[in-house]
Amino acid sequence: MAILRRSLFNTKELMKLFKPPLRRFVGVSIAGFPESCSLNPSHRSYSSVAPSGDHLLYTEDHFALRASLRKIIDKEINPFVDKWEEEGQFPAHQVFKSLGEAGFLGVDKPTEYGGLNLDFSYITAVAEELGFIHCGAIPMAIGVQSSMATPALARFGSDELKKEFLAPTIAGDIVACLGVSESEAGSDAANIKTKAVRKGDDYVINGSKMWITSGFQADWMCLLANTKDGPAHKNKSLLCLPMKLPGIHLAKKIDKLGMRASDTAEIFFENVRIPSKYLIGEEGMGFKYQMLQFQEERIWVVASSLSALEILIKKTIDYTSQRKTFGQPILHNQIVHFRLAELATELELLRALLYEAVGLYLRGNDVTKLISMAKLKCGRLCREISDSCLQFWGGMGYTNEVLVSRIYRDLRLVSIGGGADEIMLYIICKYMGILPQTKKNEP
């Protein structure tokens, strides 16, 4: 295994790049076009990847953060991705330590626990940049570490819990995982069966979890479990669960279609005992806390998918402009360049929706409807763009020798993980007020 070099940046150096975060509106909706909007060729072209001074969401500080991260990706991650994909696991402790030293695992977390204390738009920028990693497994695992297993702990956990679990997670000293899904409760988190029963000063945990990202390497789990009887939305709690305790059984590493470099585990718990002080926030509030974590998870998923979809389109343009059939480049066929133009347009519409949702989120708004729409659209675009682009690669697209086929396999998860498309439609219908009421007192 190649040894990763020490990161080029550390948290203190990154802090010098940034001014104190401003709580500002950065959404994209406007009442009308400004008078300066024109097709004058002297006007600058809008770019999502380079600072122009006119970005809808990002400032020069955001781009400085992305540039720092890109150097780590190019030097310490992408050169080793093919090897990690073959091995079925990337070295999470090694990679996370590098990212932690550079400050990328606690961008929006409090400085007293090692974070940068920047607003959530910076998390979105980091997620977008991580999409340039040449596989989906590593951005997904980083997202779990920084934005899926830790938001509730950072918001509601005790100071003692934050020092024991949050601070070393931000530093990259330990690996976190999120324990929500079960074999019979994936997107339906309210239906989980795992129990944590209070006995004296301890919780005793029995049950199982499925689809656990970084499960075989994780040092602790943010666990959602039933801690009392009652309605499914009021009987759950989030707990910090150390993963080396007696009674925790790593059943198997799940063999998946994509995300091959991710060690995804099925885990069983048999009379696992933890102190009651490992409870995050209040008992019975776990479902609500997890719904908040899901919102940030879905923002992360959309943001990190944007760059992967950009890569798909760009590499397909490059390939079809060079590959010739019937005496001309494939790209010169109208059906090809028109289709790529359509896909690029759809991608930019998704980007605008994401930026609108993040902008409103920064102002304290409930963006559940918007981010559910973005997650739904992202999952479907991941299927549509990857399928269309792979088709233009012909036989080469069906091999494992090109990045396009890996992205095709990895991005298929987006319509399933973090809430399936059907769950997103359910949420959107509820917010639109068009969902038929099928149960009494449905929340």
Side-chain angles (χ1 to χ4, degrees):
M1 177 62 64
I3 302 299
L4 301 181
R5 300 179 205 169
R6 179 179 175 83
S7 294
L8 304 176
F9 305 90
N10 58 46
T11 304
K12 291 182 179 180
E13 291 171 343
L14 274 180
M15 287 293 289
K16 295 177 183 178
L17 294 173
F18 306 114
K19 302 171 184 177
L22 300 176
R23 296 291 174 181
R24 65 198 189 287
F25 172 59
V26 291
V28 301
S29 292
I30 53 176
F33 291 106
E35 292 181 3
S36 61
C37 181
S38 73
L39 298 180
N40 189 322
S42 66
H43 288 177
R44 291 175 297 182
S45 174
Y46 174 79
S47 171
S48 63
V49 296
S52 67
D54 301 316
H55 196 277
L56 298 174
L57 185 64
Y58 303 150
T59 65
E60 290 186 1
D61 288 345
H62 291 82
F63 286 108
L65 186 69
R66 290 184 65 169
S68 298
L69 179 55
R70 176 64 73 91
K71 292 179 181 178
I72 295 175
I73 292 171
D74 289 345
K75 292 181 179 294
E76 303 186 21
I77 298 178
N78 275 343
F80 310 104
V81 162
D82 291 346
K83 179 175 172 54
W84 297 337
E85 283 277 306
E86 292 176 5
E87 295 173 346
Q89 182 173 300
F90 79 99
H93 287 88
Q94 200 170 338
V95 173
F96 288 174
K97 185 58 181 175
S98 177
L99 292 169
E101 288 180 348
F104 289 109
L105 299 180
V107 171
D108 65 334
K109 301 301 188 295
T111 54
E112 56 264 40
Y113 303 105
L116 297 178
N117 199 34
L118 300 171
D119 67 47
F120 199 79
S121 65
Y122 288 88
I123 285 286
T124 309
V126 166
E128 266 201 82
E129 195 62 40
L130 288 170
F132 288 107
I133 293 176
H134 292 168
C135 74
I138 297 174
M140 177 177 66
I142 296 170
V144 170
Q145 182 89 353
S146 66
S147 297
M148 300 178 200
T150 52
L153 175 59
R155 286 192 182 99
F156 307 111
S158 66
D159 180 64
E160 184 179 0
L161 269 189
K162 292 175 187 176
K163 288 179 179 177
E164 184 172 352
F165 292 98
L166 181 62
T169 301
I170 289 172
D173 292 329
I174 59 177
V175 174
C177 65
L178 178 63
V180 176
S181 294
E182 298 179 3
S183 59
E184 296 184 4
S187 294
D188 183 12
N191 195 40
I192 64 167
K193 305 301 181 187
T194 297
K195 291 184 177 182
V197 179
R198 189 76 174 261
K199 291 188 178 181
D201 292 331
D202 294 338
Y203 284 104
V204 179
I205 302 166
N206 284 280
S208 64
K209 292 296 174 181
M210 188 81 166
W211 313 115
I212 306 305
T213 298
S214 301
F216 275 79
Q217 300 185 78
D219 298 293
W220 74 279
M221 173 186 286
C222 179
L223 173 73
L224 182 68
N226 298 314
T227 50
K228 59 183 179 179
D229 297 327
H233 300 85
K234 298 181 180 180
N235 72 340
K236 294 170 174 55
S237 301
L238 284 178
L239 302 160
C240 293
L241 173 64
M243 291 295 289
K244 310 302 181 185
L245 296 176
I248 297 179
H249 306 289
L250 300 177
K252 67 176 181 179
K253 185 185 291 185
I254 300 171
D255 188 11
K256 309 178 301 298
L257 170 69
M259 303 294 188
R260 305 290 296 178
S262 170
D263 54 309
T264 309
E266 181 179 13
I267 303 174
F268 290 92
F269 310 109
E270 183 180 2
N271 295 322
V272 180
R273 190 177 288 266
I274 61 171
S276 58
K277 66 180 182 180
Y278 283 179
L279 172 71
I280 297 175
E282 298 179 32
E283 190 174 81
M285 290 292 290
F287 187 83
K288 292 184 179 180
Y289 294 163
Q290 185 53 45
M291 292 305 105
L292 290 174
Q293 291 195 141
F294 274 152
Q295 295 313 306
E296 296 193 0
E297 174 180 348
R298 288 162 187 165
I299 291 173
W300 178 280
V301 168
V302 175
S304 61
S305 298
L306 290 175
S307 300
L309 293 173
E310 283 182 18
I311 290 173
L312 270 175
I313 293 174
K314 183 180 185 304
K315 285 192 172 294
T316 302
I317 290 172
D318 292 342
Y319 178 76
T320 56
S321 65
Q322 298 170 17
R323 178 79 162 90
K324 291 184 178 181
T325 57
F326 304 103
Q328 68 172 354
I330 295 173
L331 185 63
H332 288 188
N333 291 281
Q334 187 181 80
I335 192 172
V336 176
H337 55 253
F338 271 21
R339 181 59 176 152
L340 290 170
E342 288 176 341
L343 296 174
T345 300
E346 292 291 325
L347 180 57
E348 290 308 314
L349 289 171
L350 174 62
R351 193 192 309 276
L353 177 57
L354 173 67
Y355 290 171
E356 174 77 358
V358 173
L360 291 171
Y361 188 56
L362 290 174
R363 297 179 67 194
N365 292 281
D366 179 2
V367 295
T368 305
K369 177 183 174 182
L370 279 182
I371 200 58
S372 298
M373 290 176 168
K375 170 67 166 57
L376 172 69
K377 185 63 176 177
C378 182
R380 293 187 169 178
L381 268 187
C382 284
R383 292 148 69 183
E384 184 180 4
I385 293 178
S386 62
D387 186 72
S388 294
C389 287
L390 188 144
Q391 182 69 24
F392 295 148
W393 282 71
M396 284 302 300
Y398 199 65
T399 71
N400 286 328
E401 297 178 15
V402 294
L403 182 59
V404 170
S405 65
R406 180 186 296 164
I407 296 176
Y408 176 91
R409 290 183 285 105
D410 287 351
L411 291 186
R412 187 59 183 85
L413 180 62
V414 176
S415 279
I416 301 171
D421 285 0
E422 292 74 19
I423 299 299
M424 298 302 101
L425 288 166
Y426 180 89
I427 294 170
I428 295 165
C429 287
K430 288 180 71 172
Y431 273 78
M432 292 176 66
I434 60 174
L435 188 71
Q437 188 171 355
T438 57
K439 301 176 182 177
K440 291 183 179 180
N441 303 319
E442 185 173 0

